Amino acid sequence: MPAPPPPLNCPPGLEYLSQIDMILIHQQIELLEVLFSFESSNVYDIKNSFGQRIYFAAEDTNFCTRNCCGRSRPFTLRITDNVGREVITLERPLRCNCCCCPCCLQEIEIQAPPGVPVGYVTQTWHPCLTKFTIKNQNREDVLKISGPCIVCSCFAGVDFEITSLDEQMVVGRISKHWSGLLREAFTDADNFGIQFPRDLDVKLKAVMIGACFLIDYMFFERTR
């Protein structure tokens, strides 16, 4: 997909995001995981609604971190464009993955370009529901994400609504798509869709991509 002219104050490489209102994220199947049950680095294709790849994402972690920490593992996820330029970096620190503990909840930092934070996604403690807050580069609350009480993708998709801070207006959605019985049973290669307003700030679109990856690791990464 050719890059459109960059909008004002757009981080380099995010020009693609300014013209679209939907992103599809497809995790690639890793044969070693299927055969030997060892967790390998996750890799993803990020596409537009026409199936054209606009970015490629690859996890940067070591073997021990992946196989000892499981879905709670800290990671760096590097997102590159079609010419191999790193345009977004996601940094997830090691945090508690127990919903019963209201301290040290999950967080991810989104950088675009690498080294320049443009936003954060932080888990919000709630006794029943799945909640996150989207923050800008100054850690000011901008949007909220709400998911179901029980996050389960058995035979159906799962939706996480992106809303205004008062949760009265839905502005977008992160959806985990059902991938079929065999793929869901034997792999953790997941498919996601992200919907947002076309005129939304590209930095917030990048933060929503980060939110999608955090949700994938927290709820849909298989524990081995």
Side-chain angles (χ1 to χ4, degrees):
M1 177 183 179
L8 188 64
N9 298 322
C10 176
L14 300 193
E15 299 87 358
Y16 294 104
L17 299 181
S18 65
Q19 300 296 315
I20 57 178
D21 57 9
M22 176 182 289
I23 284 176
L24 303 175
I25 299 178
H26 297 156
Q27 183 176 352
Q28 297 182 9
I29 296 177
E30 296 295 330
L31 186 59
L32 289 178
E33 288 189 8
V34 177
L35 296 178
F36 302 108
S37 294
F38 288 129
E39 185 66 39
S40 59
S41 296
N42 291 348
V43 292
Y44 304 83
D45 290 319
I46 302 176
K47 304 177 180 181
N48 60 19
S49 59
F50 299 104
Q52 299 169 314
R53 195 177 84 174
I54 54 177
Y55 298 115
F56 175 81
E59 176 186 351
D60 184 2
T61 54
N62 60 50
F63 179 87
C64 291
T65 298
R66 291 192 302 271
N67 289 277
C68 294
C69 298
R71 63 178 61 181
S72 300
R73 64 185 181 266
F75 63 76
T76 298
L77 198 74
R78 305 188 189 280
I79 300 178
T80 57
D81 61 15
N82 286 330
V83 296
R85 174 181 54 168
E86 186 174 345
V87 296
I88 302 173
T89 303
L90 309 179
E91 296 280 357
R92 180 200 190 189
L94 180 63
R95 295 287 179 87
C96 175
N97 203 24
C98 176
C99 62
C100 299
C101 180
C103 62
C104 296
L105 296 177
Q106 295 296 311
E107 178 179 289
I108 195 167
E109 177 183 275
I110 297 87
Q111 304 170 4
V116 181
V118 294
Y120 304 83
V121 180
T122 59
Q123 184 183 10
T124 304
W125 186 84
H126 191 281
C128 300
L129 300 176
T130 304
K131 298 271 188 182
F132 299 90
T133 301
I134 292 177
K135 301 174 182 285
N136 62 17
Q137 63 267 33
N138 299 318
R139 289 190 174 270
E140 299 167 334
D141 295 356
V142 179
L143 297 168
K144 290 191 175 181
I145 301 175
S146 299
C149 179
I150 299 176
V151 180
C152 178
S153 61
C154 294
F155 304 103
V158 182
D159 290 331
F160 298 81
E161 290 191 338
I162 304 170
T163 66
S164 56
L165 290 178
D166 60 8
E167 300 187 14
Q168 297 301 306
M169 180 184 299
V170 177
V171 299
R173 181 174 291 107
I174 297 173
S175 302
K176 198 277 184 185
H177 300 154
W178 167 251
S179 302
L181 182 61
L182 292 178
R183 186 173 177 131
E184 295 282 347
F186 296 104
T187 77
D188 56 4
D190 299 312
N191 295 323
F192 287 87
I194 309 174
Q195 301 175 47
F196 39 63
R198 186 183 299 269
D199 59 353
L200 188 70
D201 187 334
V202 292
K203 295 179 182 178
L204 284 179
K205 292 181 180 182
V207 175
M208 290 181 184
I209 293 175
C212 181
F213 283 113
L214 180 61
I215 288 170
D216 180 30
Y217 277 83
M218 286 181 61
F219 301 111
F220 303 108
E221 186 77 359
R222 293 176 65 187
T223 302
R224 300 184 185 279

